[in-house]
Amino acid sequence: MAPAARLSQRVLATDTPVMVKMQELFYGMKDAVSLAQGVVYWQPPAQALEKIKGLVSESSISNYGADDGIPELRSALVDKLRRENKLYKSSVMVTAGANQAFVNLVLTLCDAGDSVVMFAPYYFNAYMSFQMTGVTDIMIGPSDLDTLQPDADWLEEALVPKEGKAVPKLVTVVNPGNPSGAYVPEALLQRISGLCKKAGAWLVVDNTYEYFMYKGLKHVCVEGDHIVNIFSFSKAYGMMGWRIGYIAYPSGVEGLGAQLLKVQDNIPICPSIIGQKLALHSLETGPEWVHERVQDLSKNIDIVMEALSPLGKGKVKGGEGSIYLWAELPSNAMDDVPVVYWLAKKHGVLVIPGSASGGPGFIRVSFAGLREEECRLAAARLRKGLEELVRDGMVP
């Protein structure tokens, strides 16, 4: 029997993580700079790091904690959700990052064979979460070509019952967007919510980048018995490696918390205790600590936008929220994967191929992982590469 025949067909059919490919490429090169992975350049608040230094030797740090998170962090998060997000009827489960939160929800809300809805360009890890759990009827909705906001008219039609086909079980959006860098305004989010409620579908909103808003725009959340919100400490507080996220689920849905606990107990059991303590103390610094660093990213946005200018007017979207720009490649080089490898190997700069997010012919560029001077270096390489690409194509 061939080795592959003994492996899960679900996992074999799941896309290979694009970030794994990019990391392998990056670590195999010398002097490369990355505008690929979605990270921030800052570390967690210094005062929060200082507070957890003295906790390392405490026995509670090495023991298991409550499956859904240590009580003091969950209490602080409920307060935060009410104060900042206007979510008054939500309970909290702490997870090992937002990705694990999404997997928890797919396993809890969906069955293999269910139909679900995403909008292109979509977050590649969410797509993979559906694939590896057998949720293979993934309907990919369009986004507005100019704003990259989800097409609610298309969704309205997609949620209409049709003979021989079940109504989609779940709809998911990322707000503000990964990989698009666009945001979903309140009126559109409310309309999407209303359509899901009418159809009896769940709406899962990934709010990982809630603090990453620019141009005076404001992030909002919606709440209801059909809505689950996901949040993360990774980007806002520079806690990527600490792996702490959380789910805000409707308190009024009987049994939902208990079913989530079944999944949680079989994946992490509980999130890292030291990570949860760091998250708790990071919250104490207040959202102003995050806002100060996010606003400083406006410089990086301008730097990377200028680097992308060889692609031409109207070819770059985003810059409204999150930490990404979404750029269309020139007509002579629309095969995005070879372009990404060419930019890396010839010009020493990494970006993400858009095809990983259902957007062939585009690239995702992250602008938050480097300080301003490092960003200028990466942007100079990117601009040089794109100028050559537009002018001559992928010259070896």
Side-chain angles (χ1 to χ4, degrees), residues 162-186:
K162 297 175 178 63
E163 186 176 353
K165 184 173 177 59
V167 171
K169 184 78 166 289
L170 182 151
V171 176
T172 185
V173 296
V174 183
N175 188 34
N178 177 7
S180 69
Y183 87 114
V184 184
E186 184 173 9

Side-chain angles (χ1 to χ4, degrees), residues 158-228:
L159 291 176
V160 172
K162 297 175 178 63
E163 186 176 353
K165 184 173 177 59
V167 171
K169 184 78 166 289
L170 182 151
V171 176
T172 185
V173 296
V174 183
N175 188 34
N178 177 7
S180 69
Y183 87 114
V184 184
E186 184 173 9
L188 178 55
L189 195 58
Q190 290 286 4
R191 185 182 175 199
I192 291 171
S193 170
L195 292 172
C196 290
K197 182 177 181 179
K198 181 180 178 182
W202 289 99
L203 173 60
V204 176
V205 185
D206 183 342
N207 304 280
T208 290
Y209 301 94
E210 59 175 322
Y211 295 116
F212 293 79
M213 302 295 294
Y214 314 98
K215 303 177 182 178
L217 298 172
K218 181 176 172 56
H219 174 269
V220 296
C221 290
V222 289
E223 189 171 39
D225 283 351
H226 63 294
I227 301 171
V228 184

Side-chain angles (χ1 to χ4, degrees), residues 133-146:
T133 52
V135 183
T136 53
D137 186 8
I138 308 171
M139 301 174 65
I140 304 299
S143 297
D144 184 275
L145 294 178
D146 291 323

